[in-house]
Amino acid sequence: MELTEKLSFSHDDRKDLYEYVEEHGTVHEREARRALNLDPTAFGHHATVLVRDGYLTWEDDHLSVAYEEEDATEHEADGFAYTVRMAAQRDLSGLVGAIREVAEEGTYIEAETVADIIEHDEVVLRHNELRSRLFFVAAVDDDVIGWVHLDLPEAEKLSHTAVLTVGLLPEYRGKGIGSTLLERGESWAADNGFEKLYNSVPATNEGAVEFLEAHGWEREAVREGHYKIDGEYVDEVMMARRLE
């Protein structure tokens, strides 16, 4: 199932089952059945239909949302190899840790918000009737060193736009990895019909503003004193990128 796919269910119990799995990530079939108060025969039927229709996977007694896999790409930088791939549920702790480390620098408020949300949800990817989100990660072996995140609104009047955040652990910067991540996020958005991306950073984060401008982003607006960092009011620079 693609993250941009419109959800449609022919039975309320199927909708409830999908929403339960989507909210919780990977769940044991027994847990889902008991939570939804379904008898084994009905549960098996609805789960089978959802698997057939491409909404869920059902392996080793566990149910997960069947997100369509994106191709992983292999790269080299300064003599080491890294992979850029779509994040999976197994990346949760590593992803949160990487975002937290970047957010602790105090100059990327949006990243801090993203970390709070996925840590609270305990789910990496989301696709429901209100909002969807996607992550690509850069990984050395299985260690997450950076990410690009796309927040995808489901509201029709906003469905052509997405909010993008991108970040990289400090020790891996200056090697082109951030550019690779940004380009992967932009490419996915363009291929899936999005027309415009947004990212907002404090004005004090001059490096992030320069990085985005170097990749074709523009300053669309400034909100004066929007942030309060270490007791000081700081402007928010609202960046935007129109996609071809």
Side-chain angles (χ1 to χ4, degrees):
M1 178 186 62
E2 296 181 359
L3 276 157
T4 54
E5 182 177 331
K6 189 74 173 176
L7 297 171
S8 178
F9 303 97
S10 56
H11 195 287
D12 287 344
D13 286 345
R14 278 171 218 153
K15 182 175 184 290
D16 292 343
L17 177 54
Y18 173 83
E19 289 177 347
Y20 184 84
V21 176
E22 192 273 339
E23 181 182 358
H24 292 85
T26 300
V27 298
H28 195 282
E29 60 182 52
R30 184 170 55 251
E31 174 193 339
R33 181 170 59 82
R34 289 176 176 173
L36 298 171
N37 195 29
L38 292 171
D39 69 68
T41 300
F43 177 86
H45 172 69
H46 294 314
T48 299
V49 171
L50 289 170
V51 171
R52 181 202 68 192
D53 292 345
Y55 285 114
L56 298 180
T57 62
W58 195 358
E59 298 177 357
D60 299 326
D61 300 329
H62 286 78
L63 292 164
S64 304
V65 176
Y67 294 114
E68 183 172 328
E69 292 283 341
E70 297 285 336
D71 291 337
T73 55
E74 304 293 332
H75 306 268
E76 289 190 4
D78 282 4
F80 68 89
Y82 68 96
T83 302
V84 173
R85 56 174 173 77
M86 191 170 78
Q89 187 63 22
R90 67 180 184 275
D91 296 309
L92 177 64
S93 61
L95 180 60
V96 171
I99 298 174
R100 289 279 186 219
E101 184 170 339
V102 171
E104 284 175 0
E105 298 173 4
T107 56
Y108 205 169
I109 312 303
E110 291 294 326
E112 185 175 346
T113 301
V114 171
D116 288 342
I117 291 171
I118 63 172
E119 190 168 36
H120 176 269
D121 288 353
E122 296 184 333
V123 177
V124 174
L125 306 180
R126 298 296 304 268
H127 180 40
N128 55 54
E129 293 179 344
L130 296 177
R131 184 163 237 98
S132 300
R133 68 168 176 250
L134 168 71
F135 287 89
F136 288 99
V137 293
V140 175
D141 297 324
D142 287 327
D143 296 329
V144 175
I145 64 169
W147 81 93
V148 59
H149 161 247
L150 288 158
D151 189 26
L152 315 170
E154 295 296 324
E156 183 177 354
K157 293 179 180 178
L158 292 173
S159 60
H160 63 295
T161 70
V163 177
L164 179 148
T165 65
V166 60
L168 191 66
L169 296 179
E171 61 267 33
Y172 290 98
R173 294 172 189 168
K175 306 177 190 300
I177 303 172
S179 296
T180 301
L181 282 166
L182 179 63
E183 290 163 8
R184 183 63 182 266
E186 292 177 344
S187 176
W188 185 93
D191 289 346
N192 284 274
F194 290 89
E195 300 172 16
K196 196 173 185 180
L197 298 174
Y198 292 95
N199 192 347
S200 296
V201 296
T204 51
N205 193 346
E206 297 176 357
V209 173
E210 292 172 0
F211 171 77
L212 291 171
E213 287 181 330
H215 289 82
W217 290 62
E218 298 178 349
R219 303 185 193 211
E220 189 166 77
V222 173
R223 291 202 285 186
E224 295 184 2
H226 183 65
Y227 300 118
K228 192 173 185 179
I229 303 174
D230 296 331
E232 299 291 333
Y233 291 100
V234 177
D235 294 347
E236 176 190 42
V237 181
M238 304 175 73
M239 306 291 293
R241 171 87 156 94
R242 292 192 177 276
L243 301 173
E244 297 295 335

